[in-house]
Amino acid sequence: MAMRDDELMQRAVTVATTARRRTAPWPAVGCVIAREGLVVAEGATGTYPQGPHAEVAALRAAARASADVAGASAYVTLEPCDHHGNTPPCTNALIEAGIARVVVAVDDPDPRVAGRGYARLRDAGIEVVTGVGHEAAARDLAPYLHHRRTGRAFVTAKVATSIDGRVAAADGSSRWITSEAARADAHELRADAQAVVVGAGTALADRPALTVRGVADPPAVAPLRVLLDARGRVPADGPLFDPAVPTMVVTTDAADPVRADAWRAAGAKVEVVAAAPDGPGVDLAATTRLLGGHGVLHAVIEGGGTLLGACIAGGHAQRLVTYVAPTVLGAGGAAAFAHAGVATIADAPRFSLTRVAQLGPDARLEFDLRRVGEGD
């Protein structure tokens, strides 16, 4: 049965999700080639740095099936590139294959692309249609788009809480607030990122490994473990400094040089940024810029009410994933977001709830942290 443009683009978005854990710092892109609404071939971005881009992967799939693509349409989630990088331009591949029509969901803000792909295709006589399936594709590509527009890593803040918003009981105990199902989903969230970030307080209290475990589709490269420790409080031992997975420590000039040398001796990369301008800790804007410079498209920030509070209050996160357990810990428990907050309800930010799921006995809530009415 013939499919409409929007249906074929949704299929391209679905294909793109299969590549998400192997492409960074490239975007994970999907491409579907169709003739008269019937799928001929499809492909997704290959493993960075030498894998094919999605358009080339789809064209190769068509060739393996001995399918003629001359005169067909290509549905691509992101504007095709027209520059030589690790691979040749995708525009060349589409033109040489005789593709007659290219339908694209999202414009590429990378200055090396930014409309040049469209211009090259149109100059070759190919019909170009843009904006089809934009919302779904832009959501899937959000980390890449944010990174290319700002130079900073896209941040998902992740927290597990009680119904009353507590991350630990009055005695400091926090394992386990949520169920095994929720914790397994949190590992899937880590697997989708290129960095997992934790503050010094959580590192000291929990001694986390910050690794990805138990996922069916592990990432091609393990996410970088990032410790934010402005004053050098965390010793260079324990699971966080296991050399099997790389660790970066982001600190400030206030840290003891002896502790910084110990981190380096343990194999960690140590980066110094400014202190936070309005409280303890490192400057989070500088940190997300630093991570972006290291090719991190998507970072997951975990743990610690102080860190999460600063992240949300300062606008340093773009997405929030909250796992809510069916329990109440009371006023003596540690708050999920430890910041001063607002003086009146009228000043409270309002965020968009984008997804809700039940995981065993727990609820998973996902929010777009842009304030309602704001654009990208």
Side-chain angles (χ1 to χ4, degrees):
M1 181 178 178
M3 301 169 71
R4 304 187 308 267
D5 280 357
D6 60 328
E7 294 172 322
L8 289 161
M9 186 60 76
Q10 182 54 56
R11 180 158 178 166
V13 171
T14 300
V15 170
T17 63
T18 66
R20 185 183 297 153
R21 296 178 181 176
R22 65 172 187 257
T23 64
W26 287 346
V29 179
C31 176
V32 170
I33 299 174
R35 186 187 300 280
E36 296 180 354
L38 300 178
V39 174
V40 173
E42 57 191 30
T45 309
T47 303
Y48 177 84
Q50 298 298 335
H53 285 194
E55 299 91 327
V56 173
L59 291 170
R60 289 179 181 176
R64 289 194 297 271
S66 300
D68 181 12
V69 299
S73 296
Y75 296 80
V76 192
T77 56
L78 185 70
E79 177 183 356
C81 66
D82 189 47
H83 64 278
H84 282 271
N86 291 19
T87 63
C90 296
T91 51
N92 285 0
L94 294 167
I95 292 166
E96 291 168 4
I99 294 293
R101 182 170 177 259
V102 176
V103 183
V104 181
V106 179
D107 302 343
D108 192 336
D110 189 310
R112 297 172 299 175
V113 187
R116 296 180 186 180
Y118 296 147
R120 176 65 194 282
L121 294 171
R122 288 179 173 130
D123 287 346
I126 295 175
E127 179 187 357
V128 177
V129 179
T130 64
V132 175
H134 177 274
E135 184 175 353
R139 175 181 173 78
D140 194 59
L141 288 162
Y144 169 81
L145 298 174
H146 178 81
H147 180 271
R148 292 304 193 268
R149 288 169 181 151
T150 68
R152 298 175 178 176
F154 179 96
V155 173
T156 295
K158 170 256 175 183
V159 63
T161 79
S162 60
I163 294 171
D164 55 341
R166 305 291 164 173
V167 295
D171 65 355
S173 60
S174 61
R175 292 189 176 184
W176 296 103
I177 291 177
T178 53
S179 67
E180 184 176 343
R183 299 197 299 275
D185 187 81
H187 279 276
E188 298 289 347
L189 187 63
R190 286 181 180 179
D192 283 339
Q194 292 79 56
V196 182
V197 185
V198 71
T202 298
L204 288 168
D206 296 345
R207 291 177 63 83
L210 297 187
T211 53
V212 174
R213 302 183 296 278
V215 299
D217 180 24
V221 177
L224 176 69
R225 301 179 297 190
V226 182
L227 167 65
L228 308 186
D229 188 354
R231 293 176 287 162
R233 299 163 56 199
V234 180
D237 60 14
L240 191 55
F241 291 90
D242 180 341
V245 177
T247 296
M248 175 188 290
V249 181
V250 180
T251 189
T252 71
D253 288 333
D256 184 345
V258 174
R259 178 56 55 84
D261 287 343
W263 290 330
R264 294 187 184 96
K269 184 176 183 61
V270 178
E271 297 279 8
V272 178
V273 300
D278 52 0
V282 302
D283 185 318
L284 291 176
T287 299
T288 58
R289 191 179 304 112
L290 172 71
L291 293 176
H294 280 276
V296 173
L297 304 185
H298 184 194
V300 175
I301 291 185
E302 298 188 4
T306 300
L307 174 57
L308 288 171
C311 193
I312 301 300
H316 303 296
Q318 288 68 53
R319 187 176 293 164
L320 169 66
V321 174
T322 303
Y323 299 95
V324 183
T327 189
V328 173
L329 297 179
F337 306 102
H339 63 95
V342 298
T344 178
I345 193 66
D347 295 332
R350 300 284 178 173
F351 305 123
S352 299
L353 178 63
T354 56
R355 290 183 178 177
V356 178
Q358 183 169 348
L359 300 171
D362 306 318
R364 184 189 193 275
L365 309 178
E366 187 168 320
F367 298 88
D368 182 340
L369 294 182
R370 295 175 301 177
R371 287 159 174 79
V372 172
E374 289 183 343
D376 291 337

Short mmCIF file of all heavy atoms in Angstrom, two decimals, residues 182-232:
data_model
loop_
_atom_site.label_atom_id
_atom_site.label_comp_id
_atom_site.label_asym_id
_atom_site.label_seq_id
_atom_site.Cartn_x
_atom_site.Cartn_y
_atom_site.Cartn_z
N ALA A 182 12.58 0.91 36.63
CA ALA A 182 12.97 2.30 36.45
C ALA A 182 14.49 2.42 36.33
O ALA A 182 15.00 3.20 35.51
CB ALA A 182 12.46 3.16 37.60
N ARG A 183 15.22 1.68 37.13
CA ARG A 183 16.68 1.74 37.07
C ARG A 183 17.19 1.21 35.74
O ARG A 183 18.17 1.71 35.19
CB ARG A 183 17.29 0.98 38.25
CG ARG A 183 16.88 1.56 39.60
CD ARG A 183 17.79 1.08 40.71
NE ARG A 183 17.78 -0.36 40.91
CZ ARG A 183 16.91 -1.02 41.65
NH1 ARG A 183 15.91 -0.36 42.25
NH2 ARG A 183 16.99 -2.34 41.79
N ALA A 184 16.53 0.19 35.20
CA ALA A 184 16.92 -0.33 33.89
C ALA A 184 16.69 0.72 32.81
O ALA A 184 17.52 0.90 31.90
CB ALA A 184 16.13 -1.60 33.56
N ASP A 185 15.60 1.46 32.91
CA ASP A 185 15.33 2.52 31.94
C ASP A 185 16.37 3.63 32.05
O ASP A 185 16.77 4.21 31.04
CB ASP A 185 13.93 3.09 32.17
CG ASP A 185 13.53 4.07 31.08
OD1 ASP A 185 13.11 3.60 30.00
OD2 ASP A 185 13.67 5.30 31.29
N ALA A 186 16.83 3.91 33.26
CA ALA A 186 17.86 4.94 33.44
C ALA A 186 19.16 4.55 32.74
O ALA A 186 19.89 5.41 32.24
CB ALA A 186 18.10 5.18 34.92
N HIS A 187 19.44 3.26 32.67
CA HIS A 187 20.62 2.81 31.93
C HIS A 187 20.42 2.99 30.43
O HIS A 187 21.39 3.29 29.70
CB HIS A 187 20.95 1.36 32.27
CG HIS A 187 21.71 1.22 33.55
ND1 HIS A 187 23.07 1.37 33.63
CD2 HIS A 187 21.28 0.97 34.82
CE1 HIS A 187 23.46 1.22 34.89
NE2 HIS A 187 22.39 0.98 35.64
N GLU A 188 19.19 2.83 29.95
CA GLU A 188 18.92 3.12 28.55
C GLU A 188 19.15 4.61 28.26
O GLU A 188 19.67 4.98 27.21
CB GLU A 188 17.47 2.74 28.20
CG GLU A 188 17.13 1.27 28.35
CD GLU A 188 17.78 0.38 27.30
OE1 GLU A 188 18.29 0.91 26.29
OE2 GLU A 188 17.77 -0.86 27.50
N LEU A 189 18.76 5.46 29.21
CA LEU A 189 18.99 6.89 29.07
C LEU A 189 20.48 7.19 29.00
O LEU A 189 20.94 7.99 28.17
CB LEU A 189 18.34 7.63 30.24
CG LEU A 189 18.32 9.15 30.20
CD1 LEU A 189 17.49 9.66 29.04
CD2 LEU A 189 17.77 9.70 31.52
N ARG A 190 21.27 6.57 29.87
CA ARG A 190 22.72 6.74 29.81
C ARG A 190 23.27 6.30 28.46
O ARG A 190 24.16 6.94 27.90
CB ARG A 190 23.39 5.92 30.91
CG ARG A 190 23.26 6.47 32.31
CD ARG A 190 24.01 5.56 33.30
NE ARG A 190 23.92 6.06 34.67
CZ ARG A 190 24.46 5.44 35.71
NH1 ARG A 190 25.11 4.29 35.53
NH2 ARG A 190 24.34 5.95 36.92
N ALA A 191 22.76 5.18 27.95
CA ALA A 191 23.28 4.63 26.70
C ALA A 191 23.06 5.57 25.52
O ALA A 191 23.80 5.51 24.53
CB ALA A 191 22.64 3.27 26.42
N ASP A 192 22.06 6.42 25.62
CA ASP A 192 21.77 7.37 24.54
C ASP A 192 22.65 8.62 24.61
O ASP A 192 22.60 9.46 23.72
CB ASP A 192 20.30 7.82 24.61
CG ASP A 192 19.35 6.76 24.06
OD1 ASP A 192 19.80 5.90 23.29
OD2 ASP A 192 18.15 6.81 24.40
N ALA A 193 23.43 8.76 25.67
CA ALA A 193 24.24 9.96 25.88
C ALA A 193 25.71 9.67 25.61
O ALA A 193 26.15 8.52 25.54
CB ALA A 193 24.05 10.48 27.30
N GLN A 194 26.48 10.75 25.48
CA GLN A 194 27.94 10.61 25.34
C GLN A 194 28.67 10.97 26.64
O GLN A 194 29.88 10.85 26.72
CB GLN A 194 28.46 11.50 24.21
CG GLN A 194 28.02 11.07 22.83
CD GLN A 194 26.61 11.52 22.53
OE1 GLN A 194 26.30 12.71 22.62
NE2 GLN A 194 25.76 10.57 22.19
N ALA A 195 27.94 11.45 27.63
CA ALA A 195 28.54 11.76 28.93
C ALA A 195 27.49 11.59 30.01
O ALA A 195 26.32 11.91 29.82
CB ALA A 195 29.10 13.18 28.95
N VAL A 196 27.93 11.08 31.18
CA VAL A 196 27.08 10.98 32.36
C VAL A 196 27.77 11.79 33.45
O VAL A 196 28.94 11.56 33.76
CB VAL A 196 26.89 9.52 32.81
CG1 VAL A 196 25.96 9.45 34.00
CG2 VAL A 196 26.35 8.67 31.66
N VAL A 197 27.05 12.75 34.03
CA VAL A 197 27.64 13.76 34.90
C VAL A 197 27.09 13.62 36.31
O VAL A 197 25.88 13.43 36.50
CB VAL A 197 27.34 15.18 34.37
CG1 VAL A 197 28.07 16.24 35.20
CG2 VAL A 197 27.72 15.30 32.90
N VAL A 198 27.98 13.75 37.31
CA VAL A 198 27.57 13.67 38.70
C VAL A 198 28.35 14.70 39.50
O VAL A 198 29.47 15.07 39.13
CB VAL A 198 27.80 12.23 39.24
CG1 VAL A 198 29.28 11.94 39.40
CG2 VAL A 198 27.05 11.99 40.53
N GLY A 199 27.76 15.18 40.59
CA GLY A 199 28.43 16.12 41.47
C GLY A 199 29.24 15.43 42.55
O GLY A 199 29.10 14.22 42.79
N ALA A 200 30.08 16.21 43.23
CA ALA A 200 30.96 15.66 44.26
C ALA A 200 30.18 15.04 45.40
O ALA A 200 30.57 13.98 45.93
CB ALA A 200 31.89 16.75 44.77
N GLY A 201 29.08 15.66 45.83
CA GLY A 201 28.31 15.13 46.95
C GLY A 201 27.78 13.74 46.68
O GLY A 201 27.89 12.84 47.52
N THR A 202 27.22 13.54 45.51
CA THR A 202 26.70 12.22 45.14
C THR A 202 27.83 11.22 44.97
O THR A 202 27.71 10.05 45.35
CB THR A 202 25.87 12.33 43.85
OG1 THR A 202 24.75 13.18 44.08
CG2 THR A 202 25.37 10.96 43.40
N ALA A 203 28.96 11.67 44.39
CA ALA A 203 30.10 10.77 44.23
C ALA A 203 30.60 10.27 45.57
O ALA A 203 30.95 9.10 45.73
CB ALA A 203 31.21 11.48 43.47
N LEU A 204 30.62 11.14 46.57
CA LEU A 204 31.08 10.74 47.90
C LEU A 204 30.07 9.85 48.61
O LEU A 204 30.43 8.86 49.26
CB LEU A 204 31.34 11.99 48.75
CG LEU A 204 32.58 12.81 48.38
CD1 LEU A 204 32.57 14.15 49.10
CD2 LEU A 204 33.86 12.03 48.71
N ALA A 205 28.79 10.17 48.47
CA ALA A 205 27.75 9.42 49.18
C ALA A 205 27.48 8.05 48.58
O ALA A 205 27.30 7.06 49.30
CB ALA A 205 26.46 10.23 49.21
N ASP A 206 27.47 7.99 47.24
CA ASP A 206 27.05 6.76 46.56
C ASP A 206 28.18 5.97 45.92
O ASP A 206 27.98 4.80 45.57
CB ASP A 206 26.01 7.10 45.47
CG ASP A 206 24.73 7.66 46.03
OD1 ASP A 206 24.52 7.54 47.25
OD2 ASP A 206 23.94 8.24 45.25
N ARG A 207 29.32 6.59 45.70
CA ARG A 207 30.44 5.96 44.99
C ARG A 207 29.94 5.25 43.73
O ARG A 207 30.13 4.03 43.54
CB ARG A 207 31.17 4.98 45.92
CG ARG A 207 31.92 5.69 47.04
CD ARG A 207 32.58 4.70 47.99
NE ARG A 207 33.60 3.88 47.36
CZ ARG A 207 34.88 4.26 47.16
NH1 ARG A 207 35.26 5.48 47.51
NH2 ARG A 207 35.75 3.44 46.60
N PRO A 208 29.32 5.99 42.81
CA PRO A 208 28.73 5.38 41.63
C PRO A 208 29.80 5.01 40.59
O PRO A 208 30.89 5.58 40.55
CB PRO A 208 27.83 6.48 41.08
CG PRO A 208 28.55 7.75 41.46
CD PRO A 208 29.15 7.46 42.82
N ALA A 209 29.45 4.04 39.74
CA ALA A 209 30.32 3.67 38.62
C ALA A 209 30.02 4.50 37.38
O ALA A 209 30.89 4.72 36.54
CB ALA A 209 30.16 2.19 38.30
N LEU A 210 28.75 4.95 37.25
CA LEU A 210 28.28 5.76 36.12
C LEU A 210 28.50 5.06 34.78
O LEU A 210 28.72 5.71 33.76
CB LEU A 210 28.96 7.13 36.10
CG LEU A 210 28.70 8.06 37.29
CD1 LEU A 210 29.29 9.43 37.03
CD2 LEU A 210 27.22 8.17 37.61
N THR A 211 28.43 3.75 34.77
CA THR A 211 28.57 2.99 33.53
C THR A 211 27.19 2.56 33.02
O THR A 211 26.20 2.62 33.74
CB THR A 211 29.44 1.75 33.76
OG1 THR A 211 28.90 1.00 34.86
CG2 THR A 211 30.88 2.14 34.06
N VAL A 212 27.16 2.12 31.77
CA VAL A 212 25.94 1.59 31.17
C VAL A 212 25.94 0.08 31.37
O VAL A 212 26.88 -0.61 30.97
CB VAL A 212 25.88 1.93 29.66
CG1 VAL A 212 24.67 1.24 29.03
CG2 VAL A 212 25.82 3.43 29.46
N ARG A 213 24.88 -0.42 31.96
CA ARG A 213 24.81 -1.85 32.24
C ARG A 213 23.44 -2.41 31.87
O ARG A 213 22.42 -1.75 32.05
CB ARG A 213 25.07 -2.11 33.74
CG ARG A 213 26.41 -1.59 34.21
CD ARG A 213 26.69 -1.94 35.67
NE ARG A 213 25.77 -1.30 36.62
CZ ARG A 213 25.89 -0.05 37.06
NH1 ARG A 213 26.88 0.72 36.62
NH2 ARG A 213 25.03 0.42 37.94
N GLY A 214 23.44 -3.62 31.34
CA GLY A 214 22.21 -4.35 31.12
C GLY A 214 21.34 -3.90 29.96
O GLY A 214 20.16 -4.23 29.91
N VAL A 215 21.90 -3.15 29.00
CA VAL A 215 21.09 -2.72 27.86
C VAL A 215 21.30 -3.68 26.69
O VAL A 215 22.40 -4.21 26.49
CB VAL A 215 21.44 -1.27 27.44
CG1 VAL A 215 21.17 -0.31 28.58
CG2 VAL A 215 22.88 -1.15 26.96
N ALA A 216 20.25 -3.89 25.93
CA ALA A 216 20.32 -4.83 24.81
C ALA A 216 21.15 -4.27 23.66
O ALA A 216 21.77 -5.02 22.91
CB ALA A 216 18.91 -5.17 24.33
N ASP A 217 21.15 -2.95 23.52
CA ASP A 217 21.87 -2.30 22.43
C ASP A 217 22.89 -1.33 23.03
O ASP A 217 22.63 -0.14 23.16
CB ASP A 217 20.88 -1.54 21.52
CG ASP A 217 21.57 -0.83 20.37
OD1 ASP A 217 22.68 -1.25 19.99
OD2 ASP A 217 21.00 0.15 19.85
N PRO A 218 24.07 -1.81 23.43
CA PRO A 218 25.04 -0.94 24.08
C PRO A 218 25.62 0.08 23.10
O PRO A 218 25.66 -0.16 21.89
CB PRO A 218 26.12 -1.91 24.56
CG PRO A 218 25.99 -3.11 23.68
CD PRO A 218 24.53 -3.20 23.32
N PRO A 219 26.06 1.23 23.59
CA PRO A 219 26.64 2.24 22.71
C PRO A 219 27.96 1.78 22.14
O PRO A 219 28.67 0.97 22.75
CB PRO A 219 26.82 3.45 23.63
CG PRO A 219 26.89 2.88 25.01
CD PRO A 219 26.02 1.67 25.00
N ALA A 220 28.31 2.29 20.95
CA ALA A 220 29.58 1.93 20.32
C ALA A 220 30.75 2.37 21.18
O ALA A 220 31.79 1.70 21.22
CB ALA A 220 29.66 2.55 18.93
N VAL A 221 30.61 3.52 21.85
CA VAL A 221 31.63 4.04 22.76
C VAL A 221 30.97 4.32 24.10
O VAL A 221 29.92 4.98 24.15
CB VAL A 221 32.26 5.34 22.20
CG1 VAL A 221 33.27 5.91 23.18
CG2 VAL A 221 32.91 5.07 20.84
N ALA A 222 31.55 3.83 25.17
CA ALA A 222 30.98 4.05 26.50
C ALA A 222 30.92 5.55 26.80
O ALA A 222 31.87 6.29 26.49
CB ALA A 222 31.80 3.36 27.56
N PRO A 223 29.83 6.02 27.40
CA PRO A 223 29.74 7.44 27.74
C PRO A 223 30.86 7.88 28.68
O PRO A 223 31.26 7.13 29.58
CB PRO A 223 28.38 7.56 28.43
CG PRO A 223 27.60 6.37 27.99
CD PRO A 223 28.60 5.29 27.77
N LEU A 224 31.38 9.06 28.44
CA LEU A 224 32.38 9.65 29.31
C LEU A 224 31.77 9.88 30.68
O LEU A 224 30.66 10.41 30.80
CB LEU A 224 32.84 10.98 28.70
CG LEU A 224 33.83 11.83 29.50
CD1 LEU A 224 35.18 11.15 29.56
CD2 LEU A 224 33.94 13.21 28.87
N ARG A 225 32.48 9.51 31.74
CA ARG A 225 32.03 9.78 33.10
C ARG A 225 32.61 11.13 33.52
O ARG A 225 33.83 11.35 33.42
CB ARG A 225 32.48 8.68 34.06
CG ARG A 225 31.95 7.32 33.64
CD ARG A 225 32.42 6.23 34.57
NE ARG A 225 33.87 6.08 34.57
CZ ARG A 225 34.50 5.07 35.16
NH1 ARG A 225 33.81 4.13 35.79
NH2 ARG A 225 35.81 4.98 35.13
N VAL A 226 31.75 12.02 33.99
CA VAL A 226 32.18 13.37 34.32
C VAL A 226 31.85 13.66 35.78
O VAL A 226 30.70 13.59 36.19
CB VAL A 226 31.51 14.42 33.41
CG1 VAL A 226 32.01 15.82 33.75
CG2 VAL A 226 31.78 14.10 31.94
N LEU A 227 32.87 13.99 36.56
CA LEU A 227 32.73 14.37 37.96
C LEU A 227 32.91 15.87 38.07
O LEU A 227 33.93 16.41 37.63
CB LEU A 227 33.78 13.66 38.81
CG LEU A 227 33.97 14.17 40.24
CD1 LEU A 227 32.71 13.94 41.07
CD2 LEU A 227 35.18 13.50 40.88
N LEU A 228 31.92 16.55 38.64
CA LEU A 228 32.03 17.99 38.91
C LEU A 228 32.46 18.15 40.36
O LEU A 228 31.69 17.83 41.28
CB LEU A 228 30.70 18.69 38.65
CG LEU A 228 30.04 18.45 37.29
CD1 LEU A 228 28.80 19.33 37.15
CD2 LEU A 228 31.01 18.69 36.15
N ASP A 229 33.67 18.62 40.58
CA ASP A 229 34.22 18.72 41.94
C ASP A 229 35.03 20.01 42.04
O ASP A 229 36.24 20.03 41.77
CB ASP A 229 35.09 17.50 42.24
CG ASP A 229 35.54 17.44 43.70
OD1 ASP A 229 35.27 18.40 44.44
OD2 ASP A 229 36.18 16.44 44.08
N ALA A 230 34.38 21.07 42.42
CA ALA A 230 35.02 22.39 42.42
C ALA A 230 36.15 22.51 43.43
O ALA A 230 37.13 23.23 43.20
CB ALA A 230 33.96 23.47 42.69
N ARG A 231 36.03 21.80 44.56
CA ARG A 231 37.01 21.98 45.64
C ARG A 231 37.94 20.79 45.86
O ARG A 231 38.76 20.79 46.77
CB ARG A 231 36.26 22.30 46.95
CG ARG A 231 35.55 23.65 46.93
CD ARG A 231 34.76 23.86 48.22
NE ARG A 231 33.57 23.03 48.25
CZ ARG A 231 32.89 22.74 49.36
NH1 ARG A 231 33.31 23.17 50.53
NH2 ARG A 231 31.79 22.00 49.31
N GLY A 232 37.82 19.77 45.02
CA GLY A 232 38.71 18.62 45.18
C GLY A 232 38.35 17.73 46.34
O GLY A 232 39.23 17.26 47.07
#
